[in-house]
Amino acid sequence: MSEMDVLFAALRQAADPETVDCIENVVRHGADRDLNRINALAFAAAHRLDEEKVIAALLHAARMGAFEMTWNVLCPGCGGVLDSGATLKTVDRECYHCALCAAGYEPTLDEMVEVTFTISPRVRRIAAHDPDRLPSLEYYRQIFFSTGVDLPDNLEERFAHVLLEEVELEPGERALVSLHLPAAFVIIFDAVTHSAQFIDVQGEPTDERQTLSMVLSNGHAPNETISLRPGPLRLTVENHTDRRVLPNVCIAGDELHDILGHRRPFLTAKRLLTNQSFRDIYRTDTLDVDQRLKITSLTFLFTDLRGSTALYERVGDLSAFDLVRTHFRVLNEIVAAEAGAVVKTIGDAVMATFPSPDRAVAAALRMREAMLQLNTERGSEDLLLKIGIHEGPCLAVNMNDRQDYFGQTVNIASRVQELAEPHVILTTEAVVGNEQVTEILRDGGISSVSRMEELHGIGREVRIFALS
């Protein structure tokens, strides 16, 4: 039995077998490109698989060493990969600059950090394991642009319409390029060093040769846009790095924007942090103690059992413990099924996160139904679950040796849960105002009644909605 056979046999024990079969088939028979920086959501869509099962299978595969997981910091404008690391701990800058967009961005985990999976060279060697040997446009496709940029299959044909010139320079090499500048906005860009020079070509055409020099280095500084006239240009490009560089000169018009402008969903760091499989597999190996990474929108769900102390008195410690443990198991299963993750339990309370409000509301409704069913089966009202939900910005942090969250959004969600009564889910306006939540409530015939409440420690009134 080969090492690949052993790996996938073990993976079938840890993840969904059908999903693992599909991944194994691609590993054995897919193109090299298919195994570099796999977009888990696009993979699931292409093979008609469940997203959560694909994410879980790839996470287990990465933990076993069959795949390498990469955290890529993205430019929210062009979708280029500004930095990459093997863990989220490498996202440690206050600002990331994109030379192609001439803009800087503070990193957030919502849409600026993607998580991808590349086959390990011990399982199968692919061209992207040696990126400096990739053809120019394949480098752009597989290395520079994120998996959220939906590049066309005929990229070479499309890009030829906007390309004026391209060169490939080994370390220390220099190239002299002669070209004719059209009356348009032109970009000289190298995806390896992320160097850019913008040229605003305007005015009367000239027959006189214009000159321009560009030095590519690892520590390049942003260049000012220069103005040239339509006509001949002698361009000198020098490679002062220790790697091959791939500068090209292209017209930055509608055609280029259309080539690069199509987007598709990808696995964000936010979604992965709220994934139960990820939390179970990687536990504390996520953030450094001093890291504070922003999430612009995350949904928090808090639960607690009302009267749990009286429950222990009434049915005895052993029976109560078994019942509470059953309640935790059911809640965990529901949270995971709705793409959420349990962050922690405190006594009989649960703190969970979800990537969007609709997932949290769907989970809350299932939790309420599950507790009612458990009570019916027991013939008593022992499990009186209180649920509160809120959505908003927060910080992902490392607290008490585990990945946690901090901020006013967390505080409000906790306080909302404290106001809840059994079998009535309390949410905030940020949650019920979500379009998908509105559909869930309408389709389920669920009414909402609002009131203003002053939450302890918050210092202001908050509109609360009771779902019943």
Side-chain angles (χ1 to χ4, degrees):
M1 183 177 286
S2 68
E3 183 176 10
M4 188 184 297
D5 292 330
V6 172
L7 276 170
F8 281 103
L11 188 56
R12 283 185 187 82
Q13 300 301 312
D16 176 63
E18 180 185 354
T19 303
V20 175
D21 286 346
C22 184
I23 294 172
E24 182 181 9
N25 184 62
V26 175
V27 169
R28 292 185 184 276
H29 308 293
D32 279 10
R33 185 194 295 173
D34 298 332
L35 295 168
N36 180 53
R37 287 187 177 174
I38 293 175
N39 176 334
L41 307 190
F43 187 94
H47 298 280
R48 299 182 180 179
L49 298 170
D50 180 84
E51 288 182 354
E52 295 303 312
K53 291 179 180 178
V54 169
I55 294 170
L58 289 171
L59 286 171
H60 282 288
R63 198 60 165 176
M64 292 175 181
F67 283 83
E68 296 170 347
M69 185 164 60
T70 307
W71 304 73
N72 304 316
V73 181
L74 313 181
C75 170
C78 68
V81 175
L82 306 180
D83 195 22
S84 293
T87 72
L88 188 54
K89 296 175 183 179
T90 59
V91 184
D92 55 4
R93 296 189 220 163
E94 292 184 1
C95 183
Y96 288 82
H97 186 269
C98 177
L100 188 57
C101 295
Y105 304 95
E106 181 184 12
T108 65
L109 300 184
D110 300 72
E111 298 296 330
M112 271 194 68
V113 181
E114 72 167 355
V115 184
T116 60
F117 301 85
T118 298
I119 192 68
S120 169
R122 61 182 276 210
V123 177
R124 174 178 159 181
R125 188 151 193 91
I126 59 173
H129 288 143
D130 190 1
D132 288 341
R133 290 183 174 273
L134 287 172
S136 178
L137 285 184
E138 277 303 300
Y139 187 96
Y140 278 82
R141 182 193 291 276
Q142 295 193 46
I143 306 299
F144 179 75
F145 284 111
S146 78
T147 66
V149 180
D150 194 7
L151 294 171
D153 291 334
N154 61 340
L155 177 61
E156 291 77 6
E157 178 185 339
R158 294 282 306 278
F159 196 65
H161 296 158
V162 300
L163 182 66
L164 299 177
E165 190 59 77
E166 64 178 340
V167 293
E168 179 178 327
L169 296 176
E170 296 298 328
E173 283 190 344
R174 175 187 181 196
L176 296 176
V177 180
S178 294
L179 64 150
H180 192 278
L181 290 176
F185 196 81
V186 172
I187 297 177
I188 307 171
F189 182 70
D190 171 53
V192 179
T193 61
H194 294 204
S195 301
Q197 175 65 66
F198 303 106
I199 308 173
D200 190 6
V201 185
Q202 57 181 330
E204 289 295 321
T206 180
D207 292 328
E208 295 182 9
R209 188 174 67 191
Q210 304 164 99
T211 60
L212 176 64
S213 295
M214 186 174 182
V215 174
L216 303 178
S217 63
N218 293 323
H220 70 276
N223 292 314
E224 296 289 332
T225 301
I226 63 172
S227 294
L228 293 175
R229 294 164 65 185
L233 172 69
R234 173 64 65 85
L235 172 65
T236 304
V237 184
E238 298 182 49
N239 180 6
H240 286 193
T241 76
D242 58 358
R243 293 184 58 187
R244 177 196 67 163
V245 295
L246 301 167
N248 65 64
V249 186
C250 64
I251 301 170
D254 292 342
E255 178 75 9
L256 181 63
H257 292 149
D258 185 64
I259 293 171
L260 305 181
H262 298 274
R263 297 292 185 267
R264 61 180 179 177
F266 59 89
L267 180 59
T268 64
K270 175 184 110 170
R271 177 160 179 181
L272 198 58
L273 293 184
T274 62
N275 178 277
Q276 191 64 54
S277 294
F278 175 77
R279 294 187 69 95
D280 291 344
I281 296 170
Y282 287 88
R283 300 185 184 276
T284 61
D285 188 26
T286 307
L287 295 166
D288 274 333
V289 174
D290 296 330
Q291 271 184 296
R292 306 287 186 270
L293 293 175
K294 288 187 177 181
I295 298 176
T296 58
S297 171
L298 193 63
T299 305
F300 292 87
L301 180 150
F302 281 83
T303 73
D304 197 9
L305 287 175
R306 193 181 79 170
S308 58
T309 302
L311 172 64
Y312 279 82
E313 284 287 334
R314 187 168 63 255
V315 303
D317 288 347
L318 186 59
S319 295
F321 176 76
D322 288 341
L323 185 57
V324 170
R325 187 172 60 177
T326 298
H327 133 275
F328 276 134
R329 177 181 55 77
V330 171
L331 296 192
N332 274 311
E333 290 173 354
I334 292 172
V335 169
E338 293 295 341
V342 172
V343 178
K344 57 188 174 184
T345 59
I346 308 168
D348 298 327
V350 169
M351 171 185 174
T353 56
F354 296 85
S356 57
D358 59 306
R359 292 283 202 166
V361 170
L365 294 171
R366 292 177 61 180
M367 289 174 181
R368 180 167 68 180
E369 184 62 30
M371 293 306 105
L372 290 172
Q373 184 175 340
L374 282 174
N375 285 335
T376 299
E377 291 172 358
R378 289 179 54 82
S380 64
E381 288 290 311
D382 288 330
L383 296 173
L384 302 175
L385 193 66
K386 302 164 56 181
I387 305 175
I389 309 172
H390 181 50
E391 177 269 339
C394 64
L395 293 176
V397 300
N398 188 324
M399 296 180 66
N400 301 320
D401 294 325
R402 68 180 166 206
Q403 193 256 306
D404 207 336
Y405 300 93
F406 178 82
Q408 194 75 316
T409 299
V410 183
N411 298 333
I412 291 174
S414 176
R415 298 294 185 269
V416 168
Q417 180 273 129
E418 291 173 0
L419 294 174
E421 292 294 326
H423 310 319
V424 177
I425 301 163
L426 289 190
T427 75
T428 59
E429 196 165 7
V431 174
V432 296
N434 177 269
E435 184 177 341
Q436 287 74 33
V437 170
T438 300
E439 291 181 8
I440 290 174
L441 300 183
R442 182 182 64 244
D443 294 346
I446 298 165
S447 62
S448 64
V449 178
S450 71
R451 67 181 190 268
M452 297 300 295
E453 286 280 358
E454 184 167 337
L455 304 181
H456 175 69
I458 303 302
R460 61 181 174 87
E461 285 194 329
V462 175
R463 183 168 294 279
I464 304 296
F465 292 78
L467 308 183
S468 58

